[in-house]
Amino acid sequence: MRRLLLATARAVILLILITGIYGALTIALPRPPAANRAVAALVIGVIIFETLRATRRPASSAIGTGNESRIAALSDAVEKARTSAADQAQEIQRLREQIEPERARASSIEGRLASAQQELEAIRAERANLQKLVADYENDLVRARESARALEGLLASAQGELEAVRAERADLQNLVAGHENDLERERERASSLEGRLASALQELEGLRGERLKLEKLATDHENDHRDAIAARDAGRAELRSVTGKLRDVEQEPELTPAISFDRVFRPTRYSGPYRPGPREVPKPTKGQSAIEYVLFGVFGVLFLLAAIALYAMYSPKHRLVPNLVAQGLEADRVNILVFGIGGSGHPTQDQLADSIVLISLKPSTKQAAIVSIPRDLWVRMGRFGTHRINYANQAGEMSGYPGEGAGLLCDTVSRTFNQPIHAFVRVDFAAFEKIVDQIGGVDVFCERSFYDFLFKDGFVRGWHHLDGKRALAYARYRYVIGPEGDNFARELRQQQVISAVRDKLQKTSPQTAFRLIQAASTLSSSSETNLTTTQMIQLYRMFHDIPQSQVRHVSLKPVTELFNVTRLAEPGIAVRTRTDDGRELQGLEANIFRSEREIRTPDQIDFSR
C-alpha cells in the first residue's frame, strides 16, 4: 500500500513537473493542436507506466535502505528536474524575450500586409477606373473625331451660308437702297400731295370768295327782277289807259282829223334818231335764290369732304394697323394673326389670304394656342357683306379700308371670335421659303402619304427634312384624293411646319434668331407686320423655350360644317358654324387655355404624341 502511495505521489509529482514544463513551453512556443494531443498522450502514458511499475515490484519486508536510496535518488532526480525546470524556465523566458520582438515584428508585418492588401485593392479599383476612363476617353475620342468631321461639314456649310449671307447682305443693301429710293419718291409724292392740297385749299378759298360774289350778284338780280316787275306792271297800266283812249276816239269819228298821205315820216314825239333805252334784267325769285344757296353749300361741303378723304387715304396713319401688344401683355394674353398670301410669285397674283392662323400667347403660364382658321369660313365683313374670310385682305386693299387688307382681316377675325387682335404678321410664299432656308430647313413627320395630282408631287409617310420650297409644298398641297385632301388636314400640316420652325429656332443661338427677326420684315415686298423689333425680341425671350406640351393645336373641324354657296359671284363649298351667331367659335377661343384637350377629329394629326 505504501509503495502504491509512493508510486502515486511520484506519478503526481512527475505529472506536475511535466504539466509545468508543458505549460511553459506552450506559453513560450505555441504549438498546433496535434502537438498538444501528442504531449498529453505522452504524459498519460508516463503516469500509467510509473503506476504499473510501482505495483509490479516484489514485496519485501526490509525496505528501509532501499527506500532511502530510492528517496535519495528521487530527491536527486527532483532536484535535477527542478534545476532542469529552472533552466527550462530561463530558456523559456529567454525565448519569450526573443519571441516578443518577433511578435511585434509579426504584428507590424501583419499591419503592413493588411495596409498593403488595402492599397492593392485600391490600386486594383483605381486600375479598373483607369481602364474605364481609358475606354471612355477612347469613346470620347471617337465621338470627338466624329464631331470634328461633323464640324468640318458644318464649317463648310457655314462658309457656304456665310457666302450666301454675304450675297444676301448685298441684296439687302440693294433692297435698302431701293427702299430709300422708294421712300424718297414717297416723300416727293407726299410733298406733291401737300402742294396739291395747299392749292386745293387756296382754290377752295377762291371758290368761297366767288360764292360770296355770286350771292351778291344774285341779290342784285333779285332787286333788278323786282324793279322789272314793277315797270312791267306800270307799262301794262299805261297801255290799258291808252287803249281806253283809243276806244273813245273811235266812238267820235267827227273829231278825227283828215288822213295825210304824205310819205315823209315826221315824228311828233322824238326829235332825233331812235335809241333804245336801258334793258331791264329780270331778278331771281326768293325760291331761286334759296336753291342757289343750297347748291353752292352742297358743292362746298362735297369739296371739303373730298379733300378730307383724299388726305385721309394718303395719310400714313390711315394705312397702319394699331399695335396693341402692350395691352395684351397687361391683360396676360397676346393674340397675333399670322396669314399668308401668294404674292408676286403666285400665278393669279391675287390678294386672297391663302392660310390664316390665330396664335394666342399667355405669358404668366408660358402657354400657347395655335388655331387654324379655314380660308373658306363664311363670315360677315361689316359693310362689305358676307364672304369667305380669305376675301377680307383683298377687299381691304382695294377699298381703302383703314389698315388696308390686314386691317379688314384683323377686324373680321376679331368680330368673329370676339377677341382683340393685338398684332399681325403677313408673309408671302417667297418670304416663307427664305425663312425656312435661312434656319437650315425643318424636320416634319408625315402621318399619311399623299399625292397632289395638280402639281404631280407628293410625300410618303415618315420623317422628311424640308427646305423652303418643299416645306411650302407640304403646307400648300390640297388637290389630293383622300383624307389629306381636306382643307382641315392641310391646315394642321401648316401647324406642323410652324411647330418645326419653332423647334428649329429653339436650337439656334439668340443672335441668329434676333438677326432673323430683324430681317423678317424685309424678306419680300409683300411681307408686313406691325410688331416692332423690340416686341419681337421680347416675345422670343418669353416663349422660345416653351415645351411642346404647353402648345395647343386647334382645328375648327369639330365645330363647323360644310355647305354649298349658291351665289353666282362666289360659288362652291364653304365652311360655316352650326349657329349663326358664332357662339361656338367665341366660346372655344375664350376657354382656349382652360383645357388641355386637343380639339380635333379622330382622323386628323395628333400633336400630343
Side-chain angles (χ1 to χ4, degrees):
M1 186 63 183
R2 184 178 180 181
R3 182 184 293 175
L4 180 60
L5 291 175
L6 291 173
T8 302
R10 186 169 40 185
V12 171
I13 292 170
L14 183 61
L15 178 60
I16 290 171
L17 292 174
I18 294 174
T19 302
I21 296 171
Y22 174 72
L25 294 174
T26 302
I27 294 172
L29 298 172
R31 296 173 181 171
N36 293 335
R37 288 195 296 271
V39 172
L42 179 61
V43 172
I44 294 171
V46 169
I47 294 172
I48 294 172
F49 176 73
E50 288 297 329
T51 304
L52 292 177
R53 191 181 66 174
T55 53
R56 288 182 179 177
R57 285 180 180 176
S60 174
S61 58
I63 57 172
T65 305
N67 288 337
E68 291 177 357
S69 61
R70 291 193 182 93
I71 290 171
L74 184 58
S75 297
D76 295 336
V78 170
E79 288 296 332
K80 291 179 180 180
R82 286 178 180 175
T83 304
S84 178
D87 295 338
Q88 290 179 357
Q90 292 178 359
E91 184 69 20
I92 290 171
Q93 186 65 29
R94 186 179 62 81
L95 293 174
R96 184 180 293 174
E97 292 175 356
Q98 294 178 357
I99 288 172
E100 286 300 328
E102 294 295 332
R103 283 183 177 177
R105 183 181 177 186
S107 299
S108 175
I109 293 173
E110 288 178 356
R112 291 168 60 188
L113 181 60
S115 63
Q117 289 179 348
Q118 293 177 357
E119 187 176 359
L120 180 61
E121 292 296 330
I123 290 172
R124 289 176 179 173
E126 187 176 1
R127 178 186 175 188
N129 294 331
L130 289 175
Q131 290 177 349
K132 183 179 179 182
L133 185 61
V134 168
D136 294 338
Y137 281 155
E138 291 178 352
N139 296 331
D140 291 340
L141 181 60
V142 172
R143 287 194 294 269
R145 289 175 179 172
E146 295 177 354
S147 300
R149 297 191 189 97
L151 288 174
E152 289 177 355
L154 289 176
L155 180 60
S157 62
Q159 290 177 349
E161 185 177 359
L162 179 60
E163 294 297 330
V165 168
R166 289 175 178 171
E168 187 174 358
R169 184 181 65 179
D171 295 338
L172 289 175
Q173 290 176 349
N174 296 331
L175 184 61
V176 168
H179 283 316
E180 290 178 352
N181 296 331
D182 294 340
L183 181 60
E184 190 65 29
R185 286 194 294 272
E186 290 295 330
R187 288 175 179 172
E188 294 176 357
R189 183 181 178 186
S191 301
S192 174
L193 289 175
E194 290 177 356
R196 292 170 60 187
L197 180 60
S199 62
L201 292 175
Q202 292 177 358
E203 186 176 357
L204 180 61
E205 292 296 329
L207 289 174
R208 287 176 180 173
E210 187 175 355
R211 185 185 67 178
L212 295 176
K213 293 179 180 179
L214 290 175
E215 288 177 355
K216 184 178 180 181
L217 184 61
T219 304
D220 296 339
H221 285 176
E222 185 177 359
N223 296 329
D224 293 341
H225 184 64
R226 289 196 191 100
D227 296 340
I229 292 174
R232 185 190 62 184
D233 294 338
R236 286 178 180 177
E238 186 178 359
L239 180 62
R240 282 195 296 267
S241 64
V242 171
T243 303
K245 290 178 179 181
L246 288 175
R247 288 174 183 172
D248 294 338
V249 170
E250 288 176 358
Q251 291 177 0
E252 297 178 359
E254 64 278 3
L255 298 178
T256 304
I259 300 175
S260 176
F261 292 97
D262 190 1
R263 296 181 179 272
V264 179
F265 175 72
R266 294 182 177 87
T268 60
R269 188 172 182 179
Y270 299 100
S271 59
Y274 174 74
R275 295 175 182 176
R279 183 178 181 182
E280 297 181 356
V281 179
K283 297 181 179 180
T285 63
K286 292 183 178 180
Q288 291 174 344
S289 299
I291 292 173
E292 288 179 356
Y293 292 152
V294 170
L295 290 177
F296 277 108
V298 171
F299 175 75
V301 171
L302 290 177
F303 184 81
L304 182 62
L305 291 177
I308 294 173
L310 184 65
Y311 176 78
M313 288 184 63
Y314 286 95
S315 175
K317 293 184 179 179
H318 181 78
R319 304 174 61 184
L320 298 178
V321 179
N323 186 312
L324 307 176
V325 175
Q327 299 179 10
L329 293 174
E330 184 178 355
D332 196 27
R333 176 166 178 173
V334 180
N335 298 319
I336 301 175
L337 185 67
V338 181
F339 62 98
I341 61 174
S344 59
H346 196 266
T348 60
Q349 293 186 357
D350 55 34
Q351 295 294 323
L352 299 176
D354 189 72
S355 61
I356 308 171
V357 177
L358 179 59
I359 300 177
S360 299
L361 305 173
K362 191 173 181 65
S364 62
T365 57
K366 278 197 173 183
Q367 290 179 280
I370 303 176
V371 180
S372 292
I373 302 175
R375 54 177 288 177
D376 296 329
L377 184 64
W378 195 257
V379 296
R380 180 170 295 277
M381 298 180 188
R383 62 185 175 89
F384 297 94
T386 55
H387 299 276
R388 291 177 175 86
I389 197 171
N390 66 336
Y391 178 68
N393 184 67
Q394 181 170 336
E397 293 287 336
M398 297 172 60
S399 63
Y401 188 85
E404 299 183 336
L408 180 57
L409 183 58
C410 289
D411 291 345
T412 303
V413 174
S414 179
R415 285 192 297 266
T416 302
F417 291 89
N418 195 25
Q419 289 290 329
I421 304 301
H422 302 103
F424 79 93
V425 177
R426 178 173 64 192
V427 182
D428 65 354
F429 292 167
F432 178 82
E433 291 183 8
K434 289 182 180 178
I435 290 173
V436 176
D437 289 335
Q438 285 184 1
I439 62 177
V442 294
D443 297 319
V444 174
F445 184 79
C446 180
E447 293 280 350
R448 290 185 292 260
S449 301
F450 63 92
Y451 180 80
D452 188 287
F453 59 84
L454 177 64
F455 294 96
K456 295 180 174 55
D457 187 20
F459 294 84
V460 297
R461 188 178 188 276
W463 284 99
H464 295 268
H465 182 75
L466 308 177
D467 58 3
K469 186 176 181 180
R470 292 291 289 167
L472 179 64
Y474 184 80
R476 282 194 61 203
Y477 284 170
R478 62 191 179 101
Y479 297 97
V480 178
I481 300 175
E484 289 299 321
D486 188 357
N487 280 332
F488 296 103
R490 188 181 75 143
E491 293 167 1
L492 290 185
R493 292 202 305 270
Q494 295 170 0
Q495 292 192 22
Q496 273 189 298
V497 175
I498 293 174
S499 297
V501 171
R502 179 185 61 84
D503 294 340
K504 201 61 178 291
L505 287 177
Q506 285 181 342
K507 299 176 183 178
T508 59
S509 62
Q511 293 80 6
T512 303
F514 293 160
R515 188 173 67 251
L516 291 175
I517 289 173
Q518 291 176 350
S521 59
T522 61
L523 290 175
S524 68
S525 59
S526 300
S527 297
E528 184 182 3
T529 180
N530 61 347
L531 286 169
T532 63
T533 303
T534 303
Q535 291 173 346
M536 292 181 187
I537 295 174
Q538 182 181 9
L539 294 175
Y540 173 80
R541 288 175 175 172
M542 284 183 180
F543 296 96
H544 76 281
D545 57 347
I546 180 174
Q548 179 64 34
S549 59
Q550 292 294 97
V551 180
R552 297 197 66 196
H553 296 269
V554 179
S555 171
L556 297 185
K557 187 176 183 179
V559 295
T560 55
E561 62 183 7
L562 302 178
F563 75 103
N564 189 21
V565 179
T566 57
R567 185 182 298 176
L568 294 178
E570 299 176 271
I573 301 298
V575 181
R576 65 185 178 189
T577 58
R578 296 188 178 95
T579 57
D580 294 335
D581 53 5
R583 288 175 297 173
E584 292 180 337
L585 298 181
Q586 297 174 5
L588 182 149
E589 191 63 31
N591 302 317
I592 197 71
F593 293 116
R594 299 180 185 175
S595 174
E596 297 180 356
R597 179 178 60 88
E598 292 292 335
I599 301 177
R600 63 180 187 87
T601 56
D603 61 334
Q604 291 182 300
I605 298 173
D606 187 4
F607 285 88
S608 61
R609 291 184 294 181

